[in-house]
Amino acid sequence: MAHESPDVPASLIVDLVEVGPRDGLQNESRTLPVEVRARLIERLVDAGVRRLEAVSFVRPDLVPQMAEPERVLDLLPAWEDGPDVTLIGLVLNRRGAERAVATRVQELNMVVPVTDGFATRNQGASVEALLDQAADVVSVARDAGRRVSVTLPVSFGCPFDGDVHPEQVAPVVERVLAMGVDELAFADTIGVGVPPQVEALASLVPEAARGATLPHLRFHFHNTRNTGYANAWAATRLDLAAYGGRVALDSSVGGFGGCPFAPAATGNIGTEDLVHLLRRGGVRVSDLDDVDDLSGLIDTAAWLSTELGSPVQALLGRAGDRPGVAVPTPDRGEPDGDAGDPGDAA
Amino acid sequence: MAHESPDVPASLIVDLVEVGPRDGLQNESRTLPVEVRARLIERLVDAGVRRLEAVSFVRPDLVPQMAEPERVLDLLPAWEDGPDVTLIGLVLNRRGAERAVATRVQELNMVVPVTDGFATRNQGASVEALLDQAADVVSVARDAGRRVSVTLPVSFGCPFDGDVHPEQVAPVVERVLAMGVDELAFADTIGVGVPPQVEALASLVPEAARGATLPHLRFHFHNTRNTGYANAWAATRLDLAAYGGRVALDSSVGGFGGCPFAPAATGNIGTEDLVHLLRRGGVRVSDLDDVDDLSGLIDTAAWLSTELGSPVQALLGRAGDRPGVAVPTPDRGEPDGDAGDPGDAA
């Protein structure tokens, strides 16, 4: 399917992080049973996904959609001698981290919003306090031999504090890099980001690293205002030489997720649409290297839509994934033998 | 609203072409009365739009949605001493051009698909025959002192002939440039395009011009598979020095339009979402220079949705156009005074 392009370096690789089982579900009104949540993860792995934010270790009274992460994990196959699957657990403090390392998750992802307005409303503490908690999480993860990443919500704009400028994000990046994380992610939580912000935020990391080893770079985009895929593409056009030509992107199968602060809006960028864009654009997607078509993702999105009672936001399932596929003969504008009497599709 | 960015040249200007009254309506199942079509154009001008594909001179039995262009134009205000409005009429042959120049339209837009598969099905003639018709249209327009542009449908892929490579498009571009058109547009009629194709197609024009004066450059994107806004952004990142730092983009208020060959799919990129992306990305949009907010566009999209009985596809109206606007207080994950017990929006 890949469209060969001379403009994209052949070495560029995007590493997917499928967040459907976490960000895709946590804002839906319907809470899925743990069996269905485990089935979602299994289906995603069957479709070719290899790294997933599978569960979240948070308070079930606040986020019932994410309750009982341990039970979800227990229901999953071992995948021994099978695909090399990385399960990520989202955590927000030391207590969550201690729960997470008692499970099979190989990676912990800590969340540190970059504005006090969002930090206090989402996590009940200031950015400063959450940075201290992040240091605790990193310590717990390291002691348990797990990978650890940090995601920085509202890096592109905040529903409470308004515009967020990269200079505000820089000190948070510096603090996180000093903890020695494996990966750092900039998140456009409310979907207000645009491509120049992708470039500006990415440039903070080498500056903050001051020559030390860079963490992996990841982005988390929402398509709330139809800028999410443009931002994802912009991430692939960064100078990624210092990152070995790799960048990671979060996406959610079917584009489920929404934004809790814009209830009518659409959600995360959709995995199937993202993979389609990247592959047709000549970018290699590491996870699905041996998956030729995206029907596994498209079918999983349709199944999840039924389970959630919520429409698929991604478009590939409706449109077909390439020219000449899933395209009916038009029912008007047909040739009628009169070259001077045309339809007018443009 | 503009987000200052050092990465976008300050001189970059996007010229909008609003195609809602034409491409936005022609594939909708409901045919609007001429009075409503005229009202749509008036509302768009009131909202700040200055150049519009207002009507189409095609057979009413094939495209009833576009019937009676002369009556639509007669119903419009003169806008004397008012905004400098350019009305474009789509034409497909000499007969259409002759009808068009008998009206007030200042510009004719001729359509030449780049594949025989699409050309014969959409317009009942080969690409070669349509190039001859285009030459006739240019001649009629010139004799009548009108501007004339040519749009090249399926330049990014064809529902009948499959993938379309830039090398196939090159000879069509050469022929069109030889006619001396004011503007050339590449159209992603079925929404299969990706950003590297934007770059590859744009590079054909200076090559084909062989040092002669370049026509203006325009693109027409559909968001059928969520690549439309990424393509639009890519068009702003082209080397546009030879074009005076300007590029034109087609869009449709509300994102109406759809693709006749993917009936369930979404349509044109939406004007309000495009303007939001561009302005927040630091790109000047010429039409709306004196328009501070996009509520005129958003309200027009909502009104048109009611007239068509079809949902708005653009997202800005649902999400609000900036951080901190139209954002309700979250209903869960609120601070509860316990810093260790958070929600988990990321």
Side-chain angles (χ1 to χ4, degrees), chain A residues 26 56 59 62 92-93 95 121-122 192 223 225-226 261 273 280 315 319-320 330 333 336 340-341 343-345, chain B residues 26 56 59 92-93 95 121-122 192 223 225-226 261 273 280 315 319-320 330 332-333 336 340-341 343-345:
Chain A
Q26 73 176 22
S56 182
R59 270 178 49 174
L62 287 176
L92 297 174
N93 49 36
R95 190 169 56 198
R121 284 174 181 81
N122 192 60
V192 292
N223 199 40
R225 292 163 185 82
N226 258 327
F261 307 106
D273 289 6
R280 241 183 104 75
L315 300 178
D336 56 3
D341 290 318
D344 72 342
Chain B
Q26 74 175 20
S56 182
R59 270 178 51 175
L92 297 172
N93 49 38
R95 190 169 56 196
R121 285 173 180 83
N122 192 59
V192 293
N223 199 39
R225 291 164 184 82
N226 258 328
F261 307 105
D273 289 7
R280 239 182 109 72
L315 300 178
R332 59 138 202 76
D336 56 2
D341 289 317
D344 71 342

Side-chain angles (χ1 to χ4, degrees), chain A residues 3 5 7-8 22 26-27 56 58-59 62-63 90 92-93 95 118 120-124 133 153 156 158-160 162-163 187 189 192 194-197 199 220 223-227 229-230 233 237 260-261 263-264 266 273 276-277 280-281 315-316 318-320 323-324 327-328 330 332-336 339-346, chain B residues 3 5 7-8 22 26-27 56 58-59 62-63 90 92-93 95 118 120-124 133 153 156 158-160 162-163 187 189 192 194-197 199 220 223-227 229-230 233 237 260-261 263-264 266 273 276-277 280-281 315-316 318-320 323-324 327-328 330 332-336 339-346:
Chain A
H3 175 89
S5 161
D7 302 312
V8 180
R22 205 272 311 167
Q26 73 176 22
N27 293 306
S56 182
V58 292
R59 270 178 49 174
L62 287 176
V63 194
L90 184 142
L92 297 174
N93 49 36
R95 190 169 56 198
F118 199 90
T120 53
R121 284 174 181 81
N122 192 60
Q123 284 155 256
Q133 293 184 31
F156 295 76
C158 173
F160 307 109
D163 284 326
T189 312
V192 292
V194 289
Q197 292 181 285
E199 297 162 16
H220 177 100
N223 199 40
T224 315
R225 292 163 185 82
N226 258 327
T227 67
Y229 297 91
W233 183 258
R237 308 316 290 263
F261 307 106
T266 57
D273 289 6
H276 171 262
L277 165 65
R280 241 183 104 75
L315 300 178
L316 202 66
R318 286 190 255 172
V327 173
R332 59 137 204 79
E334 278 284 348
D336 56 3
D341 290 318
D344 72 342
Chain B
H3 176 91
S5 162
D7 303 311
V8 180
R22 205 273 310 167
Q26 74 175 20
N27 293 305
S56 182
V58 292
R59 270 178 51 175
L62 286 175
V63 193
L90 186 141
L92 297 172
N93 49 38
R95 190 169 56 196
F118 199 89
T120 53
R121 285 173 180 83
N122 192 59
Q123 284 155 256
Q133 294 184 30
F156 295 76
C158 174
F160 307 109
D163 284 326
T189 313
V192 293
V194 289
Q197 291 181 286
E199 297 162 15
H220 176 101
N223 199 39
T224 316
R225 291 164 184 82
N226 258 328
T227 67
Y229 298 91
W233 183 257
R237 309 315 291 261
F261 307 105
T266 56
D273 289 7
H276 172 261
L277 164 64
R280 239 182 109 72
L315 300 178
L316 203 66
R318 284 189 256 172
V327 172
R332 59 138 202 76
E334 278 283 345
D336 56 2
D341 289 317
D344 71 342

Side-chain angles (χ1 to χ4, degrees), chain B residues 86-138:
Chain B
T86 299
L87 301 173
I88 307 172
L90 186 141
V91 302
L92 297 172
N93 49 38
R94 173 183 285 274
R95 190 169 56 196
E98 287 168 347
R99 282 177 71 191
V101 298
T103 72
R104 62 188 283 190
V105 300
Q106 296 99 324
E107 180 176 338
L108 277 59
N109 183 38
M110 168 71 188
V111 174
V112 181
V114 301
T115 67
D116 281 327
F118 199 89
T120 53
R121 285 173 180 83
N122 192 59
Q123 284 155 256
S126 67
V127 176
E128 188 63 32
L130 292 177
L131 282 166
D132 290 339
Q133 294 184 30
D136 288 349
V137 166
V138 171

Side-chain angles (χ1 to χ4, degrees), chain A residues 1-2 4 10-16 44-51 83-84 246 271 275-276 278-280 282-294 297:
Chain A
M1 179 190 302
E4 290 301 322
S11 60
L12 178 59
I13 298 175
V14 166
D15 300 310
L16 285 187
L44 287 164
V45 171
D46 290 345
V49 167
R50 292 295 173 262
R51 187 171 167 219
D84 183 17
R246 301 181 86 104
T271 307
V275 174
H276 171 262
L278 295 173
R279 283 182 165 186
R280 241 183 104 75
V283 175
R284 190 177 145 203
V285 180
S286 61
D287 291 40
L288 295 118
D289 253 359
D290 52 352
V291 176
D292 192 40
D293 73 64
L294 303 181
L297 289 173

Side-chain angles (χ1 to χ4, degrees), chain A residues 58 79 85 96 150 153 163 168 198 222 264 296:
Chain A
V58 292
W79 291 303
V85 176
V150 170
D163 284 326
Q168 292 172 251
V198 176
H222 282 231

